[in-house]
Amino acid sequence: MIAATRLTRRFGSRTVVNDITFAVSRSEIVALLGPNGAGKTTTLRMLAGLIAPTSGSVAIDGVQLTKAAGTSLRRRIGFLTEAPGLWDRLTVRENLRIYAGLYDLAHAEQTIDRALEMFELTDCRSARAAELSKGMRQKVALARALLHDPAILLLDEPSSGLDPEVMRMVRRLLEERRAAGCSILVSTHNLDEAERLADRVAVLHERLLAIDRPSALRQRLTTGRLIVRVSGDPSSYIETVRALGPGFTDPAIEGAALILRVADLDRQAPALVAALVAGGARILEVRAEIPALEDVYLHLVGETSEVRSQKSEV
Amino acid sequence: MRRIRTLITKEFLDLARNRTALLPVVIVTVLSLVLPFGIAVGVPAMTGHGLGEDADLLRVSVAVGSGEALSSDARIQLFLFQQFLMLFLLTPITGAMALAAHAIVGEKQARTLEPLLATPITTFELLAAKVFGALIPTLAISLAGLALYFAGILAFALPGVAAAMASARTLMLVVLVAPAAALVSLQSAILISSRANDPRTAQQFGVLIIIPLAGVLVAQFTGSLWLSAAALGLLGLGLLGVWLLLTLLSVAVFDREAILTRWR
């Protein structure tokens, strides 16, 4: 488990990460979302012990990540950096072999063989890193980050440069690592990837704006719109909706559906259905409109940006 | 220790695929071989004038001391070969400077430093690997050249010169002063490389080490300074002490954060 407590990082007068607290448990994947410059890479670097927080702390399995403890704690972390950072003149295998040595791996060659196989890199093991495509370089960097079987994985934009097929493979691998007890924090711009992969999503924009399950985040921003598809002309039921009272607002027709807004979906949806059935409607579908994670993200980040621009205007 | 070895292996692999990086060391070594034989053997043979006819050389060559049993020509040859030995051993370092100067800032520019720093490697291990990664191939080339140097002396020098070269002074130069001076200069370059954000800057500063070395060489050639075996031993130990201090300083000033966040 990796935990950040009141983590803050300033560069001169500029605050890049401001007072963020969260934890990634064992067997959990958390996706870190945020616009460019939101502090995602800085957060990952602090968690990896590469840069020290201005204030706050990082703990790995309860041990504080200090300068003195950093060397031994880094053994437990696999860090995929923003750029693959391969030695261009070395072959794929040599790149991995050097890292196996730096992590003191006992059965280095077998471990490297497994990693090459896992990432389907066996055929290009003797190719120099400079000769690889962007996606292949990213795969080697991922293999390198997983080589020492770390308990904590910090991945900065792992899907960068990967085609959908490889991305699916990476997703499967990360799910396997999660099942093996690994704590995984993934920084990404890819909301679809975050939704498919992560148990929880953290939205960062200097501060931690939200952290929750994707479904809970969506619910938090629910529009409260109900879509009711009925057999026949839906406009004939507009009056039935209006008769329900002030809690059922903005009834309208969109195609073959009756749309309206309610304050409390759980309580009002059954009441609406009962009224419509009593009014003779044959209901084909009742659906609450759930926003996409992208809408939630844009809403959260947009709100912060608005506040910031208002502050700067003041 | 294993991590240092591992990273040195990486440096060697990198060099093996980029042999032109060692070309300056090879060129300097070859020049350092040609120059003394040209002056001490070639010029007298071509001009027909013995070295002993030069009054100034005769005067300064007295400094070699051990060559009293030799003819004046042979003593001057011994003096020249001793002088050039120092040049021969020290100048390849300047060629290796590019390797050392590039060590940290080069990794940063290639964006290979951040994943490296995310491993359990300590700053000392990283810097030691970088110094020895540049030193070992440089010394290997120097030693290969040294073998040719002594083979040349055996083959072309006047009688008695080769035997006189096999002295405590030569031993001190070869096994102590040269490696210690190389360590000092390469460690300086590594130190600068971890503070500068451009390899050119690091290299330009690193090459400044040649100034005091050139001063010692000029003083020896003019006869105003002659370092005995004991003095060379002390100089070597002093240089090793300076290297240790530079190593501690390099570790102390190596700022991972600044390198990762401020260098572009």
Side-chain angles (χ1 to χ4, degrees), chain B residues 219-235:
Chain B
Q220 287 214 135
F221 268 114
T222 57
S224 55
L225 176 73
W226 179 256
L227 297 174
S228 65
L232 284 173
L234 283 175
L235 176 67

Side-chain angles (χ1 to χ4, degrees), chain A residues 225-240:
Chain A
R225 289 214 320 167
L226 269 177
I227 298 146
V228 183
R229 224 151 51 77
V230 292
S231 174
D233 180 13
S235 61
S236 54
Y237 301 104
I238 288 271
E239 284 313 311
T240 311

Side-chain angles (χ1 to χ4, degrees), chain A residues 70-112:
Chain A
T71 304
S72 61
L73 287 179
R74 279 200 291 275
R75 278 178 194 283
R76 297 197 216 169
I77 300 172
F79 186 29
L80 175 75
T81 49
E82 205 174 359
L86 305 178
W87 289 301
D88 278 347
R89 291 192 195 94
L90 270 58
T91 65
V92 169
R93 191 178 191 93
E94 286 165 347
N95 265 282
L96 296 178
R97 192 179 284 144
I98 297 298
Y99 274 85
L102 293 174
Y103 282 106
D104 272 332
L105 298 188
H107 305 288
E109 294 304 317
Q110 292 97 309
T111 309
I112 293 166

Side-chain angles (χ1 to χ4, degrees), chain A:
Chain A
M1 175 182 171
I2 186 162
T5 308
R6 308 209 64 178
L7 214 53
T8 298
R9 176 68 210 207
R10 280 188 283 275
F11 292 107
S13 59
R14 196 166 60 94
T15 303
V16 177
V17 175
N18 189 6
D19 198 18
I20 64 170
T21 297
F22 70 97
V24 186
S25 308
R26 274 174 59 87
S27 300
E28 186 185 31
I29 300 178
V30 173
L32 197 56
L33 300 177
N36 293 331
K40 300 188 297 292
T41 297
T42 302
T43 301
L44 289 174
R45 282 173 169 175
M46 285 192 283
L47 295 174
L50 289 174
I51 60 174
T54 308
S55 63
S57 62
V58 173
I60 292 170
D61 293 332
V63 181
Q64 293 287 315
L65 182 59
T66 58
K67 202 172 178 183
T71 304
S72 61
L73 287 179
R74 279 200 291 275
R75 278 178 194 283
R76 297 197 216 169
I77 300 172
F79 186 29
L80 175 75
T81 49
E82 205 174 359
L86 305 178
W87 289 301
D88 278 347
R89 291 192 195 94
L90 270 58
T91 65
V92 169
R93 191 178 191 93
E94 286 165 347
N95 265 282
L96 296 178
R97 192 179 284 144
I98 297 298
Y99 274 85
L102 293 174
Y103 282 106
D104 272 332
L105 298 188
H107 305 288
E109 294 304 317
Q110 292 97 309
T111 309
I112 293 166
D113 283 338
R114 260 202 318 273
L116 289 170
E117 209 173 300
M118 199 192 297
F119 283 92
E120 295 168 7
L121 289 165
T122 309
D123 289 345
C124 65
R125 64 187 182 278
S126 302
R128 292 192 191 179
E131 297 163 4
L132 302 178
S133 67
K134 195 181 171 195
M136 294 290 266
R137 290 169 73 83
Q138 187 72 348
K139 273 167 62 170
V140 178
L142 269 164
R144 184 186 63 198
L146 288 165
L147 201 61
H148 57 294
D149 195 16
I152 290 152
L153 258 180
L154 305 171
L155 309 174
D156 200 351
E157 299 286 350
S159 55
S160 170
L162 298 183
D163 60 47
E165 197 184 337
V166 178
M167 196 50 231
R168 177 179 287 187
M169 186 190 79
V170 170
R171 211 163 39 235
R172 199 191 64 234
L173 276 170
L174 294 181
E175 282 162 359
E176 283 171 16
R177 298 298 311 148
R178 170 173 59 189
C182 198
S183 311
I184 305 171
L185 182 63
V186 185
S187 146
T188 183
H189 281 115
N190 188 333
L191 299 173
D192 181 50
E193 175 194 332
E195 181 137 35
R196 281 168 189 246
L197 187 67
D199 300 298
R200 287 189 299 153
V201 168
V203 182
L204 185 72
H205 197 190
E206 185 186 309
R207 291 180 302 105
L208 189 61
L209 304 179
I211 179 164
D212 216 327
R213 286 175 293 111
S215 59
L217 280 179
R218 283 200 305 261
Q219 268 181 7
R220 193 186 290 194
L221 193 72
T222 182
T223 57
R225 289 214 320 167
L226 269 177
I227 298 146
V228 183
R229 224 151 51 77
V230 292
S231 174
D233 180 13
S235 61
S236 54
Y237 301 104
I238 288 271
E239 284 313 311
T240 311
V241 173
R242 286 194 177 129
L244 282 167
F248 299 80
T249 53
D250 305 334
I253 303 300
E254 272 184 28
L258 175 65
I259 314 280
L260 67 150
R261 200 173 285 278
V262 293
D264 183 346
L265 272 172
D266 290 346
R267 199 173 54 79
Q268 290 175 285
L272 173 72
V273 171
L276 289 173
V277 170
R282 289 179 63 209
I283 297 173
L284 302 175
E285 183 190 11
V286 179
R287 180 161 53 88
E289 191 179 67
I290 304 290
L293 187 59
E294 186 180 354
D295 297 324
V296 179
Y297 168 78
L298 291 173
H299 174 77
L300 287 166
V301 170
E303 247 181 11
T304 325
S305 303
E306 254 175 50
V307 171
R308 280 187 184 168
S309 65
Q310 279 168 8
K311 274 186 185 168
S312 64
E313 276 171 28
V314 170

Side-chain angles (χ1 to χ4, degrees), chain B residues 91-167:
Chain B
T91 45
I93 299 163
T94 57
M97 199 61 71
L99 301 178
H102 201 261
I104 302 297
V105 69
E107 295 272 6
K108 166 69 185 173
Q109 287 190 331
R111 304 190 78 177
T112 50
L113 190 61
E114 189 172 4
L116 191 57
L117 292 179
T119 69
I121 196 162
T122 63
T123 302
F124 171 77
E125 289 168 335
L126 173 65
L127 297 181
K130 289 293 181 182
V131 169
F132 287 100
L135 178 75
I136 294 169
T138 307
L139 279 187
I141 292 170
S142 281
L143 288 176
L146 191 69
L148 288 174
Y149 190 71
F150 281 106
I153 290 172
L154 274 172
F156 302 113
L158 293 167
V161 173
M165 278 294 286
S167 64

